[in-house]
Amino acid sequence: MANKSESFAVSTTPPTGIISDRQIVILVSLLIGFILFFFMLFPLYSILKMSFLKNGHFSLASYYKYFRTPRIARSLHHSFYVAIISMIVTTILAFFFAYALTRTTIKGKNIFYTIIMMPLISPPIIQALALILLFGRNGLITAHLLKTDWSIYGAWGIIISEIFYCLPHALVILYTTLSAVDTRIDEAAESLGANAFQVFWKVTVPSAKYGLVSAAALVFNLTITDFGNPIVIGGNYNVLATEIYSQVIGLQKFDMGATISVILLIPSVAAFLVNYYISKKSFSLISGQARPFLRPSRMWKKIGFTGYCILISACIILIYVTVVFGSFVKVWPYDWRLSFTHYNFPSIGGYASLWTSFWIAIVVGIIGASLTLVSGYIVEKAKPKGSQLLYLLSVMPAAIPGTVMGLGYILAFNRPYYIFYGTPWIIIINVVICNYTLGMLSSITNLKQIDKSMEEAATSLGASIITTFTRVVFPLSKVAFMQTFIYYFMRSMVTISAVIFLVSATVHLAAIEIIYLDMDGRMGSANAMATVIMVIVLSFLGVVRFIGKKKFSSPQMQQSSV
Amino acid sequence: MSKELVLENLTKKFGELIAVNKVNLEVKEGEFVCFLGPSGCGKTTILRMITGFEIPTDGKIWYDGKVINDLIPQKRNFGIVFQSYALFPNMTVGENIAFGLKMRKFPKNIIESRVEEMLNLVGLTKWKDYYPAQLSGGQQQRVALVRALAPNPNVLLLDEPLSALDAKIRIRLRAEIKRLQNELGKTMIYVTHDQEEALSIADKVVVMEAGVFEQVGTPLEIYQNPKTSFVADFVGTSNFFKGVKEGSMVRVGDLLLKVASANGVNEDRLILAIRPEKIEVGKRGTLKKKYKENIFSGRLDVATFMGVVVRLMIELNGNEVITDVLYTDYEELGIKHGESLDIYLPPNGFMVFPDK
């Protein structure tokens, strides 16, 4: 019996495009490589050039000047001091929190997890704002209740802010680590006669060592590069990141700014590398076979860990309540009448800045999610020659402090022929590049789950690489695409450090307005702006999740473990 | 004119590793060829070179009189069925089957009738609008099969298509693939590590080991006349003995065996192989009456019940010999573990290979 339909009597091959799949891959790789080169390496190069060149000659004069000016040189010591203490405290706090969520049978784990993750959706200076309201010169607790002159401005203000700012980041790593380790080894230790403390110190902690190092390195990196909290609560206590800003924006000393940037780059890159290599190592240890079965914890353990989680959660909630409440109080802490006066933003940006921030965040989300998905596809699936270089370029941004990148953009692009300079587009590009690493890594993780033969099937059926991408790979990456989109949206809404160098007389961003309002002494309005940003991010998340539920609950999504 | 697929000195190296080493093969139009071998023997690499997903390091692949080494996969018009099915989970069964037709820009009505025809072929008509995840593994692989067949490929390549399925479904689908091949007369190249599957399905079996072809032949030739000890071992079950020629006989340890084809091998050191079903067993002293030579006394080690037959493991002068007897014969034999029995190794039942 031959084919019934006559059309199939002869074999046909599909028509092919003008350029081949290989050429398309190479073209796209070159384009992405160029983008990363031009918008990441070129600004970095500009900073290096500025710091090492004096009148066209190599010179260490700027570095000499840095170390000979005590007020500036202090910032290095300050940065390390703050970063190391924050690193130690945050890692320990996060470890016990993660332990409670993964290794005990306490109630309310979901609530605790949600609360500790809250800082991720808010501007990264909310912690400092809350501390000032409570412990500042006019703080509710310091000035009002205790009637003391002491205030939190300075090192401890920064450290406490950083701890709460970094907690969710450290928790995610430790939570993953502790969930992945097989709890049966704990039980084996117990059966061999170890008591609870011995098990904890000799088995649990060592088994999480990679996670601990990785979390500590990440916290160190986040803290030493953070700009928002130190600028708001640091007072006279200058750190590297804020010193760059003061030198450049305050004093117009670009060479000194560049020099401090290079000095800041060293510990930041080092911490990034530690985190990167260790987390690679630790994830290779995670086996799918670890099926933790939790026995009910003892009473004292439950009470202890529940108390601990409540304490940490309460602190975080206090931060948010303070800021939101502070935005409605007429004159904190003297006139407690509620009013909306702080929501009449007096600064130049005002409500317009919120709109600008919003649409920029949407554009950043779309461009960032698309670009990282395509890059991930190139690196993970298409693998042309040199794709490893592309991978390297893609993970680099996380190592570069935002302030350094911001200054780099000024030095590189403040030329009349870069017409995008001074427009929202430079901000969009900057935010996309600064957050490239995580977008790229999550896109790779997602693409790894797509069976290679799926694409080969499409190819063998006659699909070109573009058809394969649009008809097969992209539909299967929709969920991951949405996640990256949301990540970029949130980052764009709240980011401060890099873009503070890039806002101009015509382009204002809401998160930056918080800093300006605070500098103007308008604390209430700063709180109000922070509150509005959080409301926007939360509502947006809600809307996306609502749409997502409707759209992604179709039967096709039942596939997951092919 | 018939369209032949020819592999000529085909070689693939991955760095230092030689995955496929100068293999030659002719596949006639309408032939069903099966590559059989253990994992890592290079059979999938050959398939991937034929599909165009791997570029040969050396040698040529000919199809229809042309060298196709550098032809992109889309232009080869070969259909592929994957072990993991590789159905597009975001498309319905119908959309999956239509995919290759859409790529070839067939008009809509032709696509629709072709999809119906294909679904009919495997009895899945009513599943057209379901998503792959809603189908069983066997159904999914049927869809994958007709998806590959829909654009009427010149050759259909199947890469361990049944390995992910349950034993029972595997046997049923095996028969179905064979039926489709008979009906459509399509050239098929099939890769498997399952010798039973290979023997039952193919016109021609290619046994592979370490990147080279050990033997090419019909299933019967492969089973009855294995060219190498590897083939004798890999295809079916065999008992192996190492022996040395001694006059007209072959010495294996303390045993002196008469081996019909011993002179077919020039070397003195031999490897003898004998299939379990060639061996005969009986109560002590009974076989002496029937046969003149190669009767020995062995001791029953283990008897494992396998349904119709019972597999006996017999200790014979320090060698372990496997033989299968019908369950009814085993009952009649009435021998327990550790007891002695007669064992007959027929001289013309041996396969003889040189011992390298």
Side-chain angles (χ1 to χ4, degrees), chain A residues 1 3 5 7-8 11-14 16 21 451 453-454 456-457 459-461 463 467 471 475-476 556 559, chain B residues 48 53 74-75 77 80 82 84 86-90 100-101 103-104 110 114 117 131 147 150 152 154 183:
Chain A
M1 194 165 60
N3 290 306
S5 28
S7 332
F8 294 95
S11 296
T12 47
T13 53
T16 13
D21 288 359
D451 185 3
S453 42
M454 200 88 78
E456 292 183 347
T459 306
S460 72
L461 288 166
T467 316
R471 300 286 300 275
L476 294 180
Q556 68 202 32
Q559 72 89 31
Chain B
R48 291 177 63 80
F53 293 134
Q74 290 96 323
K75 284 284 170 203
N77 196 30
I80 305 169
F82 297 87
S84 58
L87 293 175
F88 308 129
N90 53 315
L101 305 168
M103 293 302 116
R104 286 164 178 78
I110 290 187
R114 181 70 171 175
E117 187 190 340
Y131 285 95
R147 179 180 70 177
N152 193 25
N154 291 317
E183 270 178 32

Side-chain angles (χ1 to χ4, degrees), chain A residues 16-17 57 115 175 323 395 534 542 553:
Chain A
T16 13
H57 295 288
I115 291 172
Y175 185 89
V323 169
V395 295
M534 288 189 289
S553 57

Side-chain angles (χ1 to χ4, degrees), chain A residues 109 127 134 145 151 153 206 220 224-225 305 353 384 411 416 428 453 470 473 486:
Chain A
K109 285 181 184 175
Q127 297 80 7
L134 296 173
L145 298 177
S151 73
Y153 290 97
F220 183 86
I224 208 162
T225 59
F305 277 106
S353 69
L411 297 178
I428 291 168
S453 42
T470 52
V473 177
I486 290 168

